[in-house]
Amino acid sequence: MRVLVTGGAGFIGANFVHWTRSNRPDVELTVLDALTYASDGSSLGDAAPLVRGDISDAALVDRLVGESDLVVHFAAETHNDNSLSDPSPFVQTNVVGTFTILEAVRRHGVRLHHVSTDEVYGDLELDDPERFSETTPYNPSSPYSSTKAASDLLVRAWVRSFGITATLSNCSNNYGPYQHVEKFIPRQITNVLDGGRPKLYGDGLNVRDWIHVDDHNSGVWAIIDKGRSGETYLIGADGEETNRAVVEAILRELGQPEDAYDLVRDRPGHDRRYAIDSTKLRTELGWVPEYPDFAAGLKATIAWYRENEAWWRPQKAATEAKYAKVGQ
Ligand code: NAD
Ligand code: TDX
């Protein structure tokens, strides 16, 4: 099987390529990635051939899709804070880019797996007994999540109107190796490694539902193998934690007092809580997470950032300068 992986030089995409190389030696991979600020290609290394290009480049996408049996679409602008300072690349890449891919898979009759987020469902109250499921209405809050929601709706419409073969997944917050230092967990680990302090937005009590990136990717493969076209599957590993608890665990692991953090300006429109019910993926497709112990996964991730300073160091100063400008 020839698989085109868009965004395969980013955090989840590069881990997808490494996972696939280890677990599916029969699969032939090609990566299409623009190498934006979010990747310099070093996460991918030489694990798969890389075509540097934009998913909105219709001629390039048409050629690469025509040479593939399956497209796994990770490429996106992904950081909520960036989407608040400049939404424009989010509309271009997440909406127009996904449209460009849809038109190419339609022309060539190639299957698509579209990777999306639980943020399309909006947020939950801290004490809400419900969790997100495949039937939760869309209610995105930010420019990032609204452009991801738009991309999901385009995929669903192309299935219904044009009969393309496509599956969708909406996953909760990922953690693991190769995640950009702008994101919550890597930012706090590297702040402490740098002798600085973690920065918690608002009261620090927002809740995220954490999943190890390899569990996300094994879920994507379960859907590729056994999922039904037109269906959406939620991927989550029951990993709800407050941001404050995560920061305290990082501080403890790195030998600091667990209150050595700063509360900083809140994110405008900050979603309170995400939580996923992944019953459909588990019961219909038999998926189970391999890393359900978040505390153990976080420890391993801290060790990875400690041992791989050369990977994250080049991005750190510019990322912190951007946050400092907005008081975060
Ligand atoms: P990332 O920002 O680390 O990587 C995105 C990759 O896409 C980068 O390599 C970047 O260069 C590439 N890219 C951006 N614009 C492009 C364009 N126009 N053309 C080609 N390539 C382009 O993101 P990630 O965290 O790995 O997320 C991957 C996917 O998973 C996204 O679709 C995201 O919405 C989804 N997702 C992420 C999470 C999470 O917790 N990180 C959770 C659920 C879903
Ligand atoms: O310095 C910080 N301090 C802080 O308190 C940062 C960077 C974040 N936060 C908070 C905001 C969120 O409540 O931590 C939580 C996680 O923040 P992010 O890492 O920015 O993730 P989030 O906004 O939840 O979105 C992530 O999960 C869903 C990914 O970035 C998305 O791409 C994915 O779709």
Side-chain angles (χ1 to χ4, degrees), residues 78-81 116-119 144 148 171-174 179 182-185 187-188 199-202 204 206-208 210 243 264 267 270-272 274 323 328:
T78 61
H79 194 38
N80 273 300
D81 292 321
S116 192
T117 169
D118 59 356
E119 296 190 21
Y144 164 66
K148 290 297 293 187
C171 188
S172 62
N173 282 62
N174 286 219
Q179 188 170 29
E182 70 189 353
K183 302 296 198 304
F184 178 59
I185 287 180
R187 183 182 186 207
Q188 314 313 343
K199 309 287 181 196
L200 276 172
Y201 295 171
N206 297 60
V207 168
R208 294 296 182 265
W210 295 100
N243 293 337
V264 298
R267 172 185 286 171
H270 194 178
D271 281 340
R272 197 57 168 161
Y274 305 137
Y323 278 125
Q328 290 181 324

Side-chain angles (χ1 to χ4, degrees), residues 219-240:
V220 168
W221 267 110
I223 297 163
I224 294 168
D225 288 340
K226 293 179 265 179
R228 284 174 293 137
S229 183
E231 292 291 314
T232 290
Y233 300 86
L234 264 55
I235 308 177
D238 302 331
E240 282 188 73

Side-chain angles (χ1 to χ4, degrees), residues 190-262:
T190 54
N191 276 3
V192 180
L193 291 175
D194 256 356
R197 290 162 69 91
K199 309 287 181 196
L200 276 172
Y201 295 171
D203 60 9
L205 296 180
N206 297 60
V207 168
R208 294 296 182 265
D209 188 354
W210 295 100
I211 183 171
H212 192 278
V213 63
D214 285 347
D215 281 334
H216 181 179
N217 284 327
S218 71
V220 168
W221 267 110
I223 297 163
I224 294 168
D225 288 340
K226 293 179 265 179
R228 284 174 293 137
S229 183
E231 292 291 314
T232 290
Y233 300 86
L234 264 55
I235 308 177
D238 302 331
E240 282 188 73
E241 298 283 345
T242 65
N243 293 337
R244 192 192 290 177
V246 174
V247 155
E248 288 169 351
I250 291 170
L251 285 163
R252 272 198 307 275
E253 179 65 15
L254 292 173
Q256 301 297 316
E258 66 176 31
D259 62 352
Y261 56 78
D262 296 327

Side-chain angles (χ1 to χ4, degrees), residues 81-90:
D81 292 321
N82 293 342
S83 82
L84 296 165
S85 52
D86 181 10
S88 147
F90 289 76

Side-chain angles (χ1 to χ4, degrees), residues 6-14 32-41 53-56 73-79 89 92-94 97 114-119 144 148 169-175 178-180 182-183 210-211 213 216:
T6 73
F11 164 46
I12 304 172
L32 170 61
D33 197 296
L35 300 186
T36 67
Y37 83 96
S39 180
D40 60 7
D54 197 302
I55 56 164
S56 310
H73 177 32
F74 291 97
E77 285 290 336
T78 61
H79 194 38
Q92 182 60 34
T93 289
N94 301 357
H114 177 66
V115 176
S116 192
T117 169
D118 59 356
E119 296 190 21
Y144 164 66
K148 290 297 293 187
S169 55
N170 295 76
C171 188
S172 62
N173 282 62
N174 286 219
Y175 71 94
Y178 301 115
Q179 188 170 29
H180 195 281
E182 70 189 353
K183 302 296 198 304
W210 295 100
I211 183 171
V213 63
H216 181 179

